[in-house]
Amino acid sequence: KAGVTQTPRYLIKTRGQQVTLSCSPISGHRSVSWYQQTPGQGLQFLFEYFSETQRNKGNFPGRFSGRQFSNSRSEMNVSTLELGDSALYLCASAERASTDTQYFGPGTRLTVL
Amino acid sequence: EDQVTQSPEALRLQEGESSSLNCSYTVSGLRGLFWYRQDPGKGPEFLFTLYSAGEEKEKERLKATLTKKESFLHITAPKPEDSATYLCAVQAGETSGSRLTFGEGTQLTVNP
């Protein structure tokens, strides 16, 4: 099976712009979670989607949003970008929710100038 | 609030020199503890899942164990290709879904 794919792999944006990142989960996986990784804060949970519904949300401002489509693919959007949003954004998929193992994609490296 | 602490932050070993990485956790209702390996610029790669105290899992030179307060990742006779950051994460609580809470990681360097 193909792994989790994320596009684009690299992005450079300027402050105030918005960005959309895409994630395609492993075939058959219905749960998709998003994480932000920075050197200072480590890996932090953004949100989780299961069957097109947001099940959980981390402690991030409303500028961060996401959605999931009927084929389980997911997108996350960040509006009004700030310098501090520069990070590696990781998507993870699991077969269901609960304690199923999450498999991560390669990430999207976002740089905000 | 769930807390995960990993130690040491960084570890340098000579090839063949065995050691252990520690992951201590404070959570309410542990549902699973996960170990991942992450290489620079890549996403975390799954290694192990442990569900209950006393459980052990092995894969090649790695062995993970779990107690009620902490987990250890034992590395036996490491090779340079084992160099990476090792991340520990927990799932806890009844309403957190798939949410993982990560530790800061241990950066392992194995010198030839």
Side-chain angles (χ1 to χ4, degrees):
Chain A
K1 278 186 181 178
V4 178
T5 57
Q6 293 187 243
T7 56
R9 293 294 313 279
Y10 303 92
L11 265 180
I12 299 176
K13 293 285 187 178
T14 56
R15 279 181 300 174
Q17 287 187 309
Q18 76 165 20
V19 67
T20 299
L21 312 182
S22 181
C23 170
S24 292
I26 293 171
S27 178
H29 285 195
R30 296 169 62 192
S31 169
V32 173
S33 298
W34 289 88
Y35 294 83
Q36 181 196 65
Q37 186 174 31
T38 60
Q41 300 295 319
L43 267 153
Q44 292 190 296
F45 173 79
L46 279 158
F47 28 65
E48 175 200 355
Y49 287 88
F50 181 76
S51 294
E52 302 178 66
T53 302
Q54 187 180 88
R55 282 170 48 95
N56 256 288
K57 191 176 192 307
N59 191 23
F60 280 82
R63 300 185 296 107
F64 291 81
S65 63
R67 59 178 176 169
Q68 187 181 33
F69 303 95
S70 59
N71 61 358
S72 293
R73 191 177 68 85
S74 178
E75 290 181 346
M76 68 163 281
N77 183 276
V78 188
S79 62
T80 320
L81 284 166
E82 300 178 359
L83 295 179
D85 296 333
S86 295
L88 181 67
Y89 288 89
L90 292 158
C91 167
S93 77
E95 283 192 44
R96 300 159 303 206
S98 190
T99 54
D100 287 345
T101 296
Q102 292 183 51
Y103 296 91
F104 283 82
T108 294
R109 171 71 64 186
L110 172 64
T111 302
V112 182
L113 302 176
Chain B
E1 184 180 327
D2 301 336
Q3 288 192 334
V4 180
T5 304
Q6 291 187 246
S7 61
E9 289 184 16
L11 181 63
R12 283 186 175 273
L13 299 174
Q14 287 298 123
E15 185 172 2
E17 180 187 1
S18 301
S19 187
S20 295
L21 312 182
N22 178 263
C23 170
S24 63
Y25 60 90
T26 305
V27 301
S28 178
L30 179 72
R31 292 189 287 118
L33 185 140
F34 300 80
W35 282 98
Y36 289 87
R37 165 197 170 126
Q38 186 174 27
D39 293 301
K42 296 187 176 182
E45 175 189 343
F46 170 72
L47 293 174
F48 302 109
T49 307
L50 301 167
Y51 293 107
S52 56
E55 192 174 358
E56 299 182 351
K57 289 193 177 172
E58 283 189 73
K59 178 182 177 181
E60 296 180 355
R61 296 178 292 282
L62 300 177
K63 179 180 177 180
T65 62
L66 180 65
T67 72
K68 288 186 178 179
K69 294 182 180 179
E70 57 191 349
S71 177
F72 291 94
L73 185 65
H74 307 279
I75 303 177
T76 302
K79 298 182 178 182
E81 53 261 43
D82 294 322
S83 298
T85 296
Y86 290 84
L87 296 164
C88 169
V90 298
Q91 275 182 345
E94 294 298 319
T95 60
S96 63
S98 295
R99 176 182 189 147
L100 290 172
T101 300
F102 280 87
E104 291 295 316
T106 293
Q107 186 173 353
L108 174 66
T109 303
V110 182
N111 296 313

Short mmCIF file of all heavy atoms in Angstrom, two decimals, chain B residues 44-89:
data_model
loop_
_atom_site.label_atom_id
_atom_site.label_comp_id
_atom_site.label_asym_id
_atom_site.label_seq_id
_atom_site.Cartn_x
_atom_site.Cartn_y
_atom_site.Cartn_z
N PRO B 44 7.58 11.22 11.15
CA PRO B 44 7.86 10.12 12.09
C PRO B 44 7.49 8.77 11.49
O PRO B 44 6.47 8.63 10.83
CB PRO B 44 6.96 10.47 13.28
CG PRO B 44 6.74 11.94 13.20
CD PRO B 44 6.68 12.23 11.73
N GLU B 45 8.35 7.79 11.78
CA GLU B 45 8.15 6.42 11.32
C GLU B 45 7.75 5.56 12.51
O GLU B 45 8.46 5.52 13.52
CB GLU B 45 9.43 5.88 10.68
CG GLU B 45 9.38 4.43 10.26
CD GLU B 45 10.75 3.90 9.85
OE1 GLU B 45 11.65 4.71 9.57
OE2 GLU B 45 10.91 2.67 9.80
N PHE B 46 6.63 4.86 12.39
CA PHE B 46 6.11 4.06 13.50
C PHE B 46 7.05 2.92 13.86
O PHE B 46 7.57 2.22 12.98
CB PHE B 46 4.74 3.51 13.14
CG PHE B 46 4.22 2.48 14.10
CD1 PHE B 46 3.79 2.86 15.36
CD2 PHE B 46 4.18 1.14 13.75
CE1 PHE B 46 3.32 1.92 16.26
CE2 PHE B 46 3.72 0.18 14.65
CZ PHE B 46 3.29 0.58 15.90
N LEU B 47 7.25 2.73 15.18
CA LEU B 47 8.06 1.61 15.67
C LEU B 47 7.20 0.62 16.47
O LEU B 47 7.13 -0.55 16.13
CB LEU B 47 9.20 2.12 16.55
CG LEU B 47 10.28 2.95 15.87
CD1 LEU B 47 11.25 3.52 16.91
CD2 LEU B 47 11.02 2.11 14.85
N PHE B 48 6.60 1.09 17.57
CA PHE B 48 5.88 0.20 18.48
C PHE B 48 4.64 0.88 19.07
O PHE B 48 4.63 2.10 19.22
CB PHE B 48 6.76 -0.20 19.69
CG PHE B 48 8.04 -0.87 19.34
CD1 PHE B 48 9.25 -0.20 19.50
CD2 PHE B 48 8.07 -2.18 18.89
CE1 PHE B 48 10.45 -0.80 19.21
CE2 PHE B 48 9.27 -2.79 18.59
CZ PHE B 48 10.47 -2.11 18.75
N THR B 49 3.68 0.02 19.45
CA THR B 49 2.57 0.44 20.29
C THR B 49 2.53 -0.48 21.50
O THR B 49 2.62 -1.70 21.35
CB THR B 49 1.22 0.34 19.57
OG1 THR B 49 1.28 1.04 18.34
CG2 THR B 49 0.12 0.95 20.44
N LEU B 50 2.38 0.12 22.70
CA LEU B 50 2.24 -0.65 23.94
C LEU B 50 0.94 -0.21 24.60
O LEU B 50 0.64 0.99 24.64
CB LEU B 50 3.43 -0.38 24.87
CG LEU B 50 4.81 -0.72 24.29
CD1 LEU B 50 5.92 -0.12 25.15
CD2 LEU B 50 4.99 -2.24 24.19
N TYR B 51 0.20 -1.17 25.14
CA TYR B 51 -1.12 -0.84 25.66
C TYR B 51 -1.24 -1.00 27.18
O TYR B 51 -2.06 -0.32 27.81
CB TYR B 51 -2.19 -1.71 24.99
CG TYR B 51 -2.38 -1.42 23.52
CD1 TYR B 51 -1.93 -2.31 22.56
CD2 TYR B 51 -2.99 -0.25 23.09
CE1 TYR B 51 -2.10 -2.05 21.20
CE2 TYR B 51 -3.16 0.03 21.74
CZ TYR B 51 -2.71 -0.88 20.81
OH TYR B 51 -2.88 -0.61 19.47
N SER B 52 -0.45 -1.92 27.77
CA SER B 52 -0.63 -2.14 29.20
C SER B 52 0.71 -2.42 29.87
O SER B 52 1.66 -2.90 29.23
CB SER B 52 -1.59 -3.29 29.44
OG SER B 52 -1.14 -4.46 28.79
N ALA B 53 0.77 -2.10 31.16
CA ALA B 53 1.99 -2.29 31.95
C ALA B 53 2.44 -3.74 31.88
O ALA B 53 1.62 -4.66 31.96
CB ALA B 53 1.75 -1.86 33.39
N GLY B 54 3.74 -3.92 31.69
CA GLY B 54 4.30 -5.25 31.58
C GLY B 54 4.48 -5.71 30.15
O GLY B 54 5.17 -6.70 29.88
N GLU B 55 3.90 -4.98 29.22
CA GLU B 55 4.00 -5.36 27.81
C GLU B 55 5.38 -5.02 27.26
O GLU B 55 5.97 -4.01 27.63
CB GLU B 55 2.92 -4.64 27.00
CG GLU B 55 2.74 -5.17 25.59
CD GLU B 55 1.55 -4.51 24.89
OE1 GLU B 55 0.86 -3.69 25.52
OE2 GLU B 55 1.32 -4.85 23.71
N GLU B 56 5.89 -5.88 26.39
CA GLU B 56 7.18 -5.67 25.74
C GLU B 56 7.03 -6.00 24.26
O GLU B 56 6.29 -6.92 23.89
CB GLU B 56 8.26 -6.58 26.34
CG GLU B 56 8.54 -6.36 27.80
CD GLU B 56 9.67 -7.25 28.31
OE1 GLU B 56 10.11 -8.15 27.56
OE2 GLU B 56 10.10 -7.05 29.45
N LYS B 57 7.77 -5.25 23.41
CA LYS B 57 7.78 -5.54 21.98
C LYS B 57 9.20 -5.35 21.46
O LYS B 57 9.93 -4.47 21.92
CB LYS B 57 6.80 -4.64 21.23
CG LYS B 57 5.36 -5.02 21.51
CD LYS B 57 4.40 -4.37 20.55
CE LYS B 57 2.98 -4.86 20.84
NZ LYS B 57 1.96 -4.13 20.06
N GLU B 58 9.57 -6.17 20.49
CA GLU B 58 10.92 -6.14 19.94
C GLU B 58 10.88 -6.05 18.42
O GLU B 58 9.97 -6.58 17.77
CB GLU B 58 11.69 -7.42 20.32
CG GLU B 58 12.20 -7.46 21.71
CD GLU B 58 13.12 -8.64 21.95
OE1 GLU B 58 14.26 -8.62 21.46
OE2 GLU B 58 12.68 -9.57 22.64
N LYS B 59 11.90 -5.37 17.90
CA LYS B 59 12.06 -5.29 16.46
C LYS B 59 13.53 -5.04 16.18
O LYS B 59 14.07 -3.99 16.53
CB LYS B 59 11.22 -4.14 15.90
CG LYS B 59 11.33 -3.93 14.40
CD LYS B 59 10.48 -2.73 14.00
CE LYS B 59 10.60 -2.41 12.53
NZ LYS B 59 9.80 -1.22 12.15
N GLU B 60 14.18 -6.02 15.61
CA GLU B 60 15.61 -5.95 15.31
C GLU B 60 16.39 -5.58 16.57
O GLU B 60 16.36 -6.30 17.56
CB GLU B 60 15.86 -4.96 14.16
CG GLU B 60 15.21 -5.40 12.86
CD GLU B 60 15.45 -4.43 11.72
OE1 GLU B 60 16.03 -3.34 11.94
OE2 GLU B 60 15.04 -4.76 10.59
N ARG B 61 17.08 -4.46 16.60
CA ARG B 61 17.91 -4.08 17.74
C ARG B 61 17.13 -3.30 18.80
O ARG B 61 17.71 -2.86 19.79
CB ARG B 61 19.11 -3.25 17.26
CG ARG B 61 20.05 -4.03 16.34
CD ARG B 61 21.18 -3.13 15.85
NE ARG B 61 20.71 -2.09 14.95
CZ ARG B 61 20.41 -2.30 13.69
NH1 ARG B 61 20.53 -3.49 13.16
NH2 ARG B 61 19.99 -1.29 12.92
N LEU B 62 15.85 -3.09 18.60
CA LEU B 62 15.05 -2.28 19.51
C LEU B 62 14.09 -3.13 20.32
O LEU B 62 13.50 -4.08 19.82
CB LEU B 62 14.25 -1.24 18.71
CG LEU B 62 15.04 -0.24 17.88
CD1 LEU B 62 14.09 0.65 17.09
CD2 LEU B 62 15.95 0.59 18.75
N LYS B 63 13.93 -2.73 21.58
CA LYS B 63 12.95 -3.38 22.46
C LYS B 63 12.28 -2.31 23.30
O LYS B 63 12.96 -1.52 23.94
CB LYS B 63 13.62 -4.39 23.37
CG LYS B 63 12.68 -5.10 24.34
CD LYS B 63 13.47 -6.08 25.20
CE LYS B 63 12.61 -6.76 26.23
NZ LYS B 63 13.39 -7.71 27.06
N ALA B 64 10.94 -2.29 23.29
CA ALA B 64 10.19 -1.31 24.05
C ALA B 64 9.47 -2.00 25.19
O ALA B 64 8.91 -3.10 25.02
CB ALA B 64 9.19 -0.59 23.17
N THR B 65 9.49 -1.36 26.37
CA THR B 65 8.82 -1.89 27.54
C THR B 65 7.95 -0.80 28.15
O THR B 65 8.19 0.40 27.94
CB THR B 65 9.82 -2.39 28.59
OG1 THR B 65 10.64 -1.29 29.02
CG2 THR B 65 10.72 -3.48 28.01
N LEU B 66 6.95 -1.22 28.94
CA LEU B 66 6.01 -0.26 29.52
C LEU B 66 5.72 -0.61 30.97
O LEU B 66 5.46 -1.77 31.30
CB LEU B 66 4.70 -0.26 28.73
CG LEU B 66 3.60 0.69 29.20
CD1 LEU B 66 4.05 2.15 29.03
CD2 LEU B 66 2.31 0.43 28.44
N THR B 67 5.78 0.42 31.85
CA THR B 67 5.31 0.28 33.22
C THR B 67 4.17 1.27 33.41
O THR B 67 3.76 1.94 32.47
CB THR B 67 6.42 0.60 34.24
OG1 THR B 67 6.68 2.02 34.26
CG2 THR B 67 7.71 -0.15 33.91
N LYS B 68 3.67 1.39 34.63
CA LYS B 68 2.54 2.28 34.86
C LYS B 68 2.92 3.76 34.81
O LYS B 68 2.06 4.63 34.74
CB LYS B 68 1.89 1.97 36.20
CG LYS B 68 1.12 0.66 36.19
CD LYS B 68 0.37 0.44 37.49
CE LYS B 68 -0.42 -0.87 37.42
NZ LYS B 68 -1.16 -1.13 38.68
N LYS B 69 4.24 4.04 34.83
CA LYS B 69 4.67 5.44 34.85
C LYS B 69 5.60 5.79 33.70
O LYS B 69 5.82 6.98 33.43
CB LYS B 69 5.39 5.75 36.16
CG LYS B 69 4.52 5.69 37.38
CD LYS B 69 5.32 6.07 38.63
CE LYS B 69 4.45 6.03 39.88
NZ LYS B 69 5.23 6.38 41.10
N GLU B 70 6.22 4.79 33.07
CA GLU B 70 7.20 5.11 32.06
C GLU B 70 7.38 3.98 31.06
O GLU B 70 6.93 2.85 31.27
CB GLU B 70 8.55 5.44 32.72
CG GLU B 70 9.10 4.35 33.60
CD GLU B 70 10.29 4.84 34.44
OE1 GLU B 70 10.81 5.94 34.22
OE2 GLU B 70 10.68 4.08 35.35
N SER B 71 8.05 4.33 29.97
CA SER B 71 8.40 3.35 28.96
C SER B 71 9.88 3.50 28.66
O SER B 71 10.45 4.61 28.74
CB SER B 71 7.58 3.57 27.69
OG SER B 71 7.95 2.67 26.67
N PHE B 72 10.50 2.39 28.30
CA PHE B 72 11.90 2.41 27.91
C PHE B 72 12.03 1.86 26.50
O PHE B 72 11.34 0.91 26.11
CB PHE B 72 12.75 1.56 28.86
CG PHE B 72 12.87 2.13 30.24
CD1 PHE B 72 12.00 1.73 31.24
CD2 PHE B 72 13.86 3.06 30.53
CE1 PHE B 72 12.10 2.26 32.52
CE2 PHE B 72 13.97 3.59 31.82
CZ PHE B 72 13.09 3.19 32.81
N LEU B 73 12.95 2.48 25.75
CA LEU B 73 13.32 1.94 24.44
C LEU B 73 14.78 1.51 24.56
O LEU B 73 15.67 2.34 24.71
CB LEU B 73 13.15 3.00 23.35
CG LEU B 73 13.40 2.52 21.92
CD1 LEU B 73 12.37 1.48 21.50
CD2 LEU B 73 13.38 3.69 20.94
N HIS B 74 14.98 0.20 24.57
CA HIS B 74 16.32 -0.35 24.71
C HIS B 74 16.91 -0.57 23.31
O HIS B 74 16.25 -1.16 22.45
CB HIS B 74 16.27 -1.68 25.46
CG HIS B 74 15.55 -1.61 26.78
ND1 HIS B 74 16.16 -1.14 27.92
CD2 HIS B 74 14.28 -1.93 27.12
CE1 HIS B 74 15.29 -1.19 28.92
NE2 HIS B 74 14.14 -1.65 28.46
N ILE B 75 18.14 -0.11 23.13
CA ILE B 75 18.83 -0.28 21.85
C ILE B 75 20.06 -1.16 22.09
O ILE B 75 20.97 -0.76 22.83
CB ILE B 75 19.24 1.08 21.25
CG1 ILE B 75 18.01 1.97 21.11
CG2 ILE B 75 19.92 0.89 19.91
CD1 ILE B 75 18.30 3.35 20.59
N THR B 76 20.05 -2.31 21.48
CA THR B 76 21.12 -3.28 21.67
C THR B 76 22.08 -3.24 20.48
O THR B 76 21.65 -3.33 19.33
CB THR B 76 20.56 -4.69 21.82
OG1 THR B 76 19.64 -4.72 22.92
CG2 THR B 76 21.67 -5.71 22.06
N ALA B 77 23.37 -3.09 20.78
CA ALA B 77 24.42 -3.07 19.75
C ALA B 77 24.03 -2.16 18.59
O ALA B 77 23.90 -2.63 17.43
CB ALA B 77 24.71 -4.49 19.26
N PRO B 78 23.82 -0.87 18.85
CA PRO B 78 23.35 0.03 17.79
C PRO B 78 24.36 0.20 16.66
O PRO B 78 25.58 0.03 16.86
CB PRO B 78 23.14 1.35 18.53
CG PRO B 78 24.05 1.29 19.70
CD PRO B 78 24.06 -0.15 20.12
N LYS B 79 23.83 0.54 15.49
CA LYS B 79 24.64 0.82 14.31
C LYS B 79 24.44 2.29 13.92
O LYS B 79 23.44 2.90 14.33
CB LYS B 79 24.22 -0.09 13.17
CG LYS B 79 24.41 -1.57 13.46
CD LYS B 79 24.01 -2.42 12.26
CE LYS B 79 24.26 -3.89 12.55
NZ LYS B 79 23.92 -4.74 11.37
N PRO B 80 25.34 2.83 13.13
CA PRO B 80 25.19 4.24 12.73
C PRO B 80 23.83 4.55 12.10
O PRO B 80 23.30 5.65 12.29
CB PRO B 80 26.33 4.44 11.72
CG PRO B 80 27.39 3.49 12.18
CD PRO B 80 26.64 2.28 12.68
N GLU B 81 23.24 3.61 11.40
CA GLU B 81 21.93 3.85 10.77
C GLU B 81 20.79 3.96 11.78
O GLU B 81 19.67 4.32 11.42
CB GLU B 81 21.61 2.76 9.74
CG GLU B 81 21.71 1.35 10.26
CD GLU B 81 23.02 0.70 9.89
OE1 GLU B 81 24.07 1.36 9.99
OE2 GLU B 81 22.99 -0.50 9.49
N ASP B 82 21.06 3.68 13.05
CA ASP B 82 20.06 3.88 14.10
C ASP B 82 20.02 5.34 14.56
O ASP B 82 19.16 5.72 15.36
CB ASP B 82 20.35 2.98 15.30
CG ASP B 82 20.20 1.51 14.97
OD1 ASP B 82 19.28 1.16 14.20
OD2 ASP B 82 21.01 0.70 15.48
N SER B 83 20.94 6.15 14.07
CA SER B 83 20.95 7.56 14.42
C SER B 83 19.67 8.24 13.93
O SER B 83 19.33 8.14 12.75
CB SER B 83 22.17 8.26 13.80
OG SER B 83 23.37 7.72 14.30
N ALA B 84 18.96 8.88 14.83
CA ALA B 84 17.69 9.53 14.52
C ALA B 84 17.16 10.15 15.81
O ALA B 84 17.76 10.00 16.88
CB ALA B 84 16.67 8.51 14.00
N THR B 85 16.03 10.85 15.71
CA THR B 85 15.33 11.31 16.90
C THR B 85 14.22 10.32 17.20
O THR B 85 13.42 9.98 16.32
CB THR B 85 14.74 12.72 16.69
OG1 THR B 85 15.80 13.65 16.50
CG2 THR B 85 13.91 13.14 17.90
N TYR B 86 14.17 9.85 18.43
CA TYR B 86 13.16 8.88 18.85
C TYR B 86 12.09 9.62 19.67
O TYR B 86 12.40 10.28 20.67
CB TYR B 86 13.80 7.74 19.64
CG TYR B 86 14.63 6.87 18.73
CD1 TYR B 86 15.94 7.22 18.42
CD2 TYR B 86 14.10 5.73 18.14
CE1 TYR B 86 16.71 6.45 17.55
CE2 TYR B 86 14.85 4.95 17.28
CZ TYR B 86 16.15 5.31 16.97
OH TYR B 86 16.89 4.55 16.10
N LEU B 87 10.86 9.47 19.24
CA LEU B 87 9.74 10.18 19.84
C LEU B 87 8.81 9.21 20.54
O LEU B 87 8.51 8.12 20.02
CB LEU B 87 8.94 10.91 18.75
CG LEU B 87 9.67 12.03 18.00
CD1 LEU B 87 8.91 12.38 16.73
CD2 LEU B 87 9.83 13.25 18.87
N CYS B 88 8.35 9.62 21.70
CA CYS B 88 7.38 8.87 22.48
C CYS B 88 6.07 9.67 22.48
O CYS B 88 6.11 10.90 22.57
CB CYS B 88 7.92 8.69 23.89
SG CYS B 88 6.75 8.05 25.09
N ALA B 89 4.94 8.99 22.37
CA ALA B 89 3.66 9.69 22.37
C ALA B 89 2.62 8.83 23.09
O ALA B 89 2.72 7.60 23.09
CB ALA B 89 3.19 9.97 20.94
#
